[in-house]
Amino acid sequence: MNPTLEKLKNQFAQALVAAFGSDYAGVDAMLVSASNPKFGDYQSNAALSLAKQLGKPPRAIAETIIQHLDVSDICETPSVAGPGFINFTLKPAYLEAQLNAIQTDSRLGIALAKNPKRVVVDFSSPNIAKEMHVGHLRSTIIGDCIARILEFQGEDVLRLNHVGDWGTQFGMLIAYLREVCPEALTTANALDLGDLVTFYKKAKQGFDEDEAFQETARQEVVKLQAGAEDSRRAWQLLCEQSRREFQVIYDRLNIHLTERGESFYNPLLPAVVEDLDKAGLLVEDAGAKCVFLEGFTNKDGQPLPLIVQKSDGGYNYATTDLAALRYRIQKDGADRIIYVTDAGQANHFAGVLQVARKAGWIPDNVEIDHVPFGLVLGEDGKKLKTRSGETVRLKDLLAQAIAHARAVLEDCLKKENREESEEYKAQVAQVFGISAVKYADLSLNRISNYIFSYDKMVALQGNTAVYLLYAYVRIQGISRKGDIDFKDLGADAKILLQEKEELVLAKHLLQLGEVISNVEQDLLPNRVCEYLYELSKKFNQFFEQCPVLWSEEPVRTSRLMLCDLTARTLQLGLSLLGIQALERI
Ligand code: ARG
């Protein structure tokens, strides 16, 4: 929690006891950030909520509380407002001390978790031999950001890529591979199967149109499950090829994951069904083994089942997730499990969790979150497609974003009359383009559908990555212009807050820790984006009103320190989003 808020809460609790006796020790101070800066920084509604209990008017209660409050080292004398709110305004000297203290800290004063938790973040998770689509891109970007935030907090994070690398579709893929490339099943060398998506389409076509092929495909599934060597070899080949293609995207995004696909849990599936049976939860319905869910009904109001074993003996997506859940709790020692998928899978996870809970597989202290997100839409408001109506390939999408970023950059260079090398332009465009894609996705509340627009995401103005990257560079420019290395400001240099803009900036700088701990709870990365965007705006206001390099000492050093702290806060915040700040553009 925010240390200032913590201190205020402690003092408040003591004041309540001093004013009204020990019965009031546990009363919530109801402290929140003030809704409007003119009311100060924090506000308490406690007096209003105590009115009935104490049988006194709230304003009188507020006065009594203030008389007993000892917050003079933090705030100006608190004031009563409206029907009985208590307003707190932080003292400049207190803010100065806080800022001076974090100035020398690489974590900017943000504490590490006292008891690090083991957290599994299940994200990205594309399917073998299929296109990694924009939904997977969202999962990859949001999941990576959540993992980065938890890692920064000091949690022990396991980033798992739950790739769809198992299932009956491999029957047709292997059968087709046998047909078109029989040598692939016997050679030990890596093979390039060409474009896997086309390969998948052709195999599917064969499966849909040719009954004999369908039968071969079915037999292939049985052989693969029985562990036949050549079938496994074919399966591995397909997985390797997909993996190479996925890796190109992960490298571009600079995102790291540990692959642990569905196949990993395959040996654990029979035990899932057995244990559900032992727990008395299993019901046979038309040959399929299932657990009936509470609160899920079909159109006719009939309860819906979660099928864990099909009538042909095969297992499915949900069975694998049940096995994975148990494994992560028992073997990985997870205290928290976070699934990042599109909102369309909300029912799937709700069903899986309900069954696991009923079976007693989730200890009370294990927290499980499904982090849903909305669809990616084109600018026409429909599902994102290429002009010719095909699904957009991620490789092309990222290349397009980089090309758009390049155009914006070239434009800026032209306006500034600057010549730069090809290498430089390619590198900056790459950072701009990839950052733009990530930021555009993260800056919206993830629940909403997301309208994909290259032009908007690389815009120089507004809440975009490019805007923030420029803000950072501009601050570095101040140090270059003044020929000052921020690092040389010295340990005895002090921040002094006099102007309104300085105070506003100072207060905002001290709030990153609170924003991060909120995101750790509600898993909404857009809070970090909003914070950074606000920070840049507040910095600009400060920079417009308060001369930095032309001020007299000690104000000059103090303002340079504010510049440095802003730059470092931006850099840290961007790094949590998976965006690398550039020193110069
Ligand atoms: N492979 C799935 C898909 O593409 C996502 C898997 C998400 N994770 C999970 N544990 N079910 O939709």
Side-chain angles (χ1 to χ4, degrees):
M1 209 216 306
N2 169 342
T4 305
L5 204 53
E6 213 161 342
K7 272 187 216 155
L8 283 179
K9 280 193 174 157
N10 283 337
Q11 294 304 338
F12 208 94
Q14 286 180 26
L16 282 175
V17 172
F20 308 115
S22 54
D23 285 356
Y24 291 81
V27 172
D28 186 357
M30 301 178 78
L31 271 164
V32 291
S33 296
S35 54
N36 184 325
K38 75 172 185 235
F39 301 136
D41 298 305
Y42 295 101
Q43 183 172 67
S44 161
N45 299 347
L48 285 96
S49 73
L50 287 170
K52 208 163 161 201
Q53 206 174 340
L54 286 164
K56 287 190 190 133
R59 281 191 70 97
I61 298 173
E63 296 289 359
T64 315
I65 295 174
I66 289 175
Q67 277 160 25
H68 291 86
L69 256 178
D70 178 14
V71 289
S72 57
D73 52 340
I74 307 178
C75 310
E76 314 287 358
T77 310
S79 58
V80 181
F85 302 123
I86 306 177
N87 291 340
F88 298 88
T89 301
L90 299 173
K91 274 187 176 162
Y94 174 74
L95 294 166
E96 287 167 3
Q98 300 279 103
L99 289 175
N100 288 325
I102 67 172
Q103 180 73 26
T104 48
D105 180 5
S106 63
R107 296 182 53 84
L108 298 173
I110 301 168
L112 280 165
K114 283 195 197 80
N115 304 305
K117 283 193 248 130
R118 178 83 160 147
V119 189
V120 168
V121 187
D122 173 322
F123 69 108
S124 192
S125 310
N127 301 316
I128 297 288
K130 289 200 197 163
E131 189 79 77
M132 186 172 175
H133 54 67
V134 282
H136 296 123
L137 180 68
R138 282 206 91 176
S139 171
T140 309
I141 291 171
I142 296 170
D144 176 62
C145 174
I146 288 174
R148 280 177 196 264
I149 286 178
L150 296 166
E151 283 154 359
F152 176 73
Q153 295 286 69
E155 311 295 6
D156 177 13
V157 178
L158 187 56
R159 302 160 154 254
L160 287 185
N161 200 358
H162 190 83
V163 291
D165 64 354
W166 202 250
T168 45
Q169 78 272 25
F170 281 95
M172 74 182 191
L173 291 167
I174 297 173
Y176 184 66
L177 187 61
R178 244 186 236 286
E179 231 176 79
V180 295
C181 186
E183 68 277 16
L185 286 85
T186 48
T187 163
N189 303 327
L191 259 188
D192 190 352
L193 301 175
D195 181 37
L196 260 196
V197 176
T198 318
F199 185 94
Y200 187 96
K201 277 189 197 144
K202 288 200 183 135
K204 178 92 171 64
Q205 197 182 0
F207 189 82
D208 292 342
E209 289 166 9
D210 179 348
E211 253 173 58
F213 182 80
Q214 245 175 52
E215 190 41 42
T216 325
R218 274 194 205 106
Q219 283 162 13
E220 281 298 348
V221 178
V222 179
K223 277 173 69 185
L224 177 66
Q225 273 167 351
E229 208 171 299
D230 61 341
S231 308
R232 284 206 71 94
R233 161 92 193 120
W235 170 74
Q236 254 163 11
L237 263 181
L238 292 160
C239 292
E240 277 162 21
Q241 174 95 15
S242 273
R243 204 170 283 140
R244 277 195 295 273
E245 286 175 16
F246 298 155
Q247 198 54 45
V248 173
I249 306 290
Y250 296 139
D251 287 345
R252 272 259 138 127
L253 297 169
N254 188 24
I255 287 179
H256 304 276
L257 285 129
T258 301
E259 182 180 322
R260 197 199 272 166
E262 295 185 14
S263 65
F264 177 89
Y265 305 99
N266 201 41
L268 312 174
L269 303 181
V272 167
V273 178
E274 263 167 48
D275 292 347
L276 287 174
D277 197 15
K278 276 189 211 143
L281 294 169
L282 216 56
V283 179
E284 274 215 26
D285 191 36
K289 297 194 168 125
C290 45
V291 180
F292 278 92
L293 298 170
E294 282 162 37
F296 291 84
T297 47
N298 65 12
K299 291 195 288 294
D300 309 324
Q302 302 296 320
L304 276 177
L306 185 84
I307 300 176
V308 290
Q309 192 169 17
K310 293 180 277 188
S311 54
D312 65 4
Y315 303 100
N316 56 24
Y317 188 48
T319 328
T320 307
D321 262 322
L322 284 166
L325 185 59
R326 291 219 291 188
Y327 189 92
R328 291 164 182 182
I329 293 172
Q330 290 167 6
K331 297 280 193 279
D332 294 322
D335 301 301
R336 186 176 188 187
I337 304 174
I338 297 171
Y339 298 92
V340 188
T341 77
D342 60 285
Q345 299 201 31
N347 280 346
H348 161 74
F349 285 109
V352 165
L353 289 189
Q354 188 185 112
V355 170
R357 286 226 156 81
K358 274 193 182 153
W361 297 343
I362 307 181
D364 288 342
N365 56 343
V366 174
E367 188 184 346
I368 306 208
D369 299 282
H370 176 225
V371 172
F373 53 80
L375 301 171
V376 182
L377 305 175
E379 290 186 75
D380 55 1
K382 298 202 188 104
K383 233 174 141 184
L384 189 69
K385 288 258 155 65
T386 62
R387 261 188 219 138
S388 53
E390 307 263 318
T391 43
V392 181
R393 298 201 152 185
L394 292 192
K395 238 190 290 177
D396 300 339
L397 179 147
L398 296 179
Q400 275 284 330
I402 294 170
H404 275 75
R406 169 103 185 208
V408 169
L409 175 69
E410 302 250 12
D411 217 40
C412 289
L413 292 176
K414 210 157 129 202
K415 279 192 194 121
E416 292 173 33
N417 247 327
R418 258 168 71 190
E419 291 283 340
E420 293 288 351
S421 68
E422 173 53 33
E423 194 194 344
Y424 164 89
K425 286 190 274 194
Q427 195 239 335
V428 176
Q430 158 98 10
V431 174
F432 273 11
I434 300 295
S435 309
V437 171
K438 289 188 181 181
Y439 194 87
D441 194 336
L442 295 170
S443 58
L444 291 173
N445 183 319
R446 56 175 163 75
I447 316 283
S448 27
N449 289 345
Y450 156 41
I451 298 188
F452 195 93
S453 155
Y454 291 114
D455 291 326
K456 276 207 190 110
M457 69 173 69
V458 298
L460 290 165
Q461 290 305 325
N463 190 7
T464 68
V466 180
Y467 175 77
L468 294 179
L469 288 168
Y470 264 111
Y472 178 81
V473 165
R474 214 168 292 129
I475 303 178
Q476 299 308 321
I478 299 170
S479 91
R480 274 195 295 275
K481 195 163 161 201
D483 199 20
I484 299 152
D485 189 340
F486 285 140
K487 290 189 199 77
D488 295 339
L489 289 173
D492 49 342
K494 290 270 175 289
I495 287 182
L496 309 163
L497 302 169
Q498 287 157 345
E499 301 300 324
K500 190 176 105 227
E501 291 78 12
E502 291 177 309
L503 280 162
V504 169
L505 177 62
K507 286 174 190 172
H508 198 72
L509 281 167
L510 290 167
Q511 279 163 15
L512 179 62
E514 200 175 346
V515 172
I516 294 176
S517 62
N518 285 340
V519 179
E520 181 161 14
Q521 292 311 310
D522 61 19
L523 307 172
L524 288 171
N526 58 306
R527 291 184 188 282
V528 177
C529 301
E530 272 153 37
Y531 171 83
L532 295 176
Y533 184 47
E534 271 306 307
L535 177 63
S536 310
K537 288 198 287 191
K538 296 200 154 101
F539 177 80
N540 287 343
Q541 280 151 13
F542 152 76
F543 196 58
E544 267 166 36
Q545 298 303 322
C546 307
V548 176
L549 292 172
W550 315 123
S551 296
E552 299 290 325
E553 290 296 357
V555 172
R556 183 176 188 265
T557 295
S558 162
R559 291 191 178 159
L560 282 166
M561 287 172 76
L562 279 176
C563 290
D564 179 37
L565 263 182
T566 305
R568 284 164 53 204
T569 307
L570 273 174
Q571 185 181 37
L572 173 61
L574 286 170
S575 80
L576 298 175
L577 306 175
I579 296 177
Q580 191 208 338
L582 295 168
E583 293 304 309
R584 203 180 80 88
I585 297 174

